[in-house]
Amino acid sequence: MKELKKNVYWTGKVDWEIRKFHGNEYSTHRGTTYNSYLVKDEKTALIDTVWSPFAGEFLDDLEKHIPFGKIDYIVINHAEIDHSGALAELMKKIPDTPVYCTKNGLKSLTGQLHGDWNFVNVKTGDRLNLGRNELLFIEAPLLHWPDTMFSYLTGHNVLFSSDAFGQHLASERLFDDLVDPAELYEESIKYYANILTPFSGLVEKKIEEFKGLNLPLDMICPSHGVIWRKKPLQILDKYLDWSRNYQENQIAIVYDTMWQGTTKMAEAIAQGIRSADEEVIVKLFNIPRSDKSDVVTEVFKSKALLVGSPTVNRGILSAVAGFMELLRGLRLKNKKGAAFGTYGWSGESVDIIGHSLEAAGFEVLHKGLKATWMPDAEALEESFELGEEIAQKTRI
Ligand code: FEO
């Protein structure tokens, strides 16, 4: 347990080992933390817990600092198991303690943990009086689950923001100003791109709503990573930027290949882009050899995406198909796209990718470029020209 402010403590777990999160969906190169917080006042409130594998050490550490019986309230801002997992063990110790959560939090908690506990449903504007200060609840549905809420601690001016503003970044140094800012930025934008992107419209509204409350803000305490205390509004403003059709002057090319034919097309397209626009950043990713969460982040930053696959069995390569499914769910906005690929016999891949790009919300700028067998000089020239065309059509 570590003190954040007088009588406000971090009581989470730093997980240096984890390398895959949400099953195998999200890479966590720098580990993560599961942040739980304790507020001592005339009454004591515990906010969130940790993932169940760490329940034992979480409870041991908690008990060193406060007898379980002295915890008056438990607040669950979000019931996903990485934050609620240890609740089941804690409730064995203090089964009658009220658990504050949203209506959807109740559904999710009972669905996952099957506990019949003393739940108290709260909604935006409800307050929990701790004595000198209060917890003010602000529902934040779909940031990033329907059950999510924020809790704001008056007097201390601390926002407990659940997953929003988090990062998968393990650190023994609790605060944003004590870690490498480049690492912090990388993990923050990756987190937004992979977790919050589908809900960007709601992110924007929620931040504007929160700013409209004009609450003083000393700290934002997310459920993962470090705490924002150095100008905490900075991360709110970053989220506003990211939620508003974010793009940089970058084009990504994502592909897979069997015998390097589609690779040659990808490289010729990249050369065409560079020749038409010296300013634009071009990045190529052979998708099965790349980390898909990192590539999602690069696509999030890009204004356009070219996707390539050879045709195999009248379809596309499975790694490209998997990536397109990932993009479909993210519902990126304001992105342009085009497809390319080689084929020997039937040649369906380019059309399949074009349809997948449309289904993912991309504006498709080109009917797609096919090349037979190993691309010859003419096919590579056409690839180069496709790159030039995409660069010209997306020039900022
Ligand atoms: Fe970190 Fe949505 O749980």
Side-chain angles (χ1 to χ4, degrees):
M1 191 174 294
K2 295 177 182 174
E3 192 174 60
L4 305 180
K5 282 188 150 209
K6 192 168 165 49
N7 294 327
V8 182
Y9 303 86
W10 175 89
T11 180
K13 167 67 187 176
V14 180
D15 185 351
W16 288 96
E17 288 195 348
I18 192 165
R19 288 295 176 271
K20 294 284 182 185
F21 194 83
H22 280 159
N24 284 301
E25 282 300 283
Y26 188 123
S27 60
T28 46
H29 309 309
R30 296 185 172 105
T32 194
T33 72
Y34 314 100
N35 296 339
S36 169
Y37 300 98
L38 189 76
V39 181
K40 288 184 179 171
D41 200 320
E42 290 166 22
K43 298 286 187 180
T44 295
L46 179 73
I47 300 172
D48 293 323
T49 68
V50 301
W51 190 25
S52 38
F54 304 109
E57 63 183 279
F58 169 71
L59 293 185
D60 287 349
D61 187 49
L62 194 58
E63 196 176 23
K64 276 183 206 152
H65 295 90
I66 184 165
F68 294 130
K70 296 271 184 197
I71 298 173
D72 298 293
Y73 311 112
I74 298 169
V75 174
I76 297 292
N77 277 336
H78 167 43
E80 196 166 2
I81 214 78
D82 49 330
H83 308 299
S84 69
L87 182 65
E89 290 304 311
L90 179 60
M91 294 313 284
K92 288 180 187 165
K93 314 276 184 193
I94 44 174
D96 299 325
T97 306
V99 178
Y100 287 70
C101 62
T102 61
K103 221 169 166 181
N104 279 325
L106 170 61
K107 279 189 207 167
S108 184
L109 282 171
T110 50
Q112 294 180 102
L113 302 178
H114 313 294
D116 182 19
W117 301 314
N118 179 14
F119 290 109
V120 181
N121 278 173
V122 292
K123 56 187 186 319
T124 297
D126 289 350
R127 291 168 181 263
L128 174 59
N129 191 342
L130 300 178
R132 291 180 293 279
N133 299 304
E134 293 177 318
L135 282 170
L136 164 66
F137 300 115
I138 303 164
E139 290 167 279
L142 291 172
L143 268 72
H144 71 122
W145 269 18
D147 66 316
T148 302
M149 68 173 180
F150 299 163
S151 302
Y152 174 84
L153 179 61
T154 63
H156 292 286
N157 310 331
V158 176
L159 180 69
F160 300 99
S161 63
S162 186
D163 284 320
F165 317 119
Q167 336 88 42
H168 286 308
L169 177 60
S171 175
E172 298 298 335
R173 315 184 102 187
L174 270 180
F175 296 105
D176 57 342
D177 53 306
L178 301 182
V179 298
D180 181 331
E183 286 186 2
L184 178 57
Y185 181 80
E186 261 183 33
E187 295 302 338
S188 297
I189 193 169
K190 177 176 176 178
Y191 194 92
Y192 188 95
N194 283 271
I195 303 286
L196 276 310
T197 297
F199 315 113
S200 282
L202 295 168
V203 170
E204 184 180 15
K205 277 191 198 140
K206 186 53 58 180
I207 290 176
E208 282 170 353
E209 178 193 323
F210 180 76
K211 282 185 157 186
L213 296 175
N214 286 319
L215 296 168
L217 192 59
D218 292 354
M219 279 183 196
I220 298 176
C221 295
S223 293
H224 299 287
V226 295
I227 290 153
W228 303 93
R229 70 174 177 187
K230 186 182 175 191
K231 297 185 191 163
L233 284 176
Q234 278 185 9
I235 188 62
L236 295 187
D237 290 339
K238 273 286 161 218
Y239 263 49
L240 280 179
D241 271 0
W242 294 336
S243 69
R244 291 173 174 157
N245 298 338
Y246 184 75
Q247 57 177 233
E248 299 176 10
N249 192 16
Q250 173 168 301
I251 297 175
I253 303 175
V254 172
Y255 63 94
D256 194 4
T257 193
M258 292 172 76
W259 299 107
Q260 304 305 115
T262 303
T263 300
K264 287 182 193 303
M265 290 182 79
E267 290 177 350
I269 292 167
Q271 286 164 11
I273 294 169
R274 284 191 203 104
S275 98
D277 184 349
E278 289 183 353
E279 299 294 317
V280 69
I281 296 166
V282 186
K283 292 183 181 171
L284 282 76
F285 302 97
N286 178 313
I287 191 65
R289 297 184 189 183
S290 307
D291 181 291
K292 64 186 175 185
S293 318
D294 292 339
V295 179
V296 162
T297 311
E298 294 299 337
V299 173
F300 175 75
K301 288 156 66 177
S302 296
K303 58 187 180 180
L305 168 68
L306 290 111
V307 180
S309 172
T311 295
V312 59
N313 298 334
R314 300 187 169 230
I316 60 178
L317 288 174
S318 59
V320 177
F323 190 72
M324 294 313 295
E325 172 58 18
L326 194 48
L327 288 189
R328 187 198 57 74
L330 290 174
R331 288 182 276 150
L332 292 155
K333 300 276 189 317
N334 196 28
K335 305 288 184 197
K336 313 276 198 292
F340 65 97
T342 57
Y343 70 102
W345 307 106
S346 53
E348 290 91 343
S349 67
V350 166
D351 291 342
I352 292 171
I353 293 169
H355 291 313
S356 296
L357 282 167
E358 281 174 357
F362 285 65
E363 181 188 343
V364 176
L365 296 179
H366 188 277
K367 65 182 171 47
L369 183 62
K370 301 178 186 181
T372 49
W373 305 108
M374 187 57 72
D376 59 12
E378 189 182 337
L380 292 177
E381 179 58 28
E382 285 176 352
S383 301
F384 184 91
E385 286 167 6
L386 171 61
E388 286 183 316
E389 184 179 332
I390 298 296
Q392 282 154 3
K393 285 182 172 170
T394 59
R395 187 186 289 276
I396 292 176

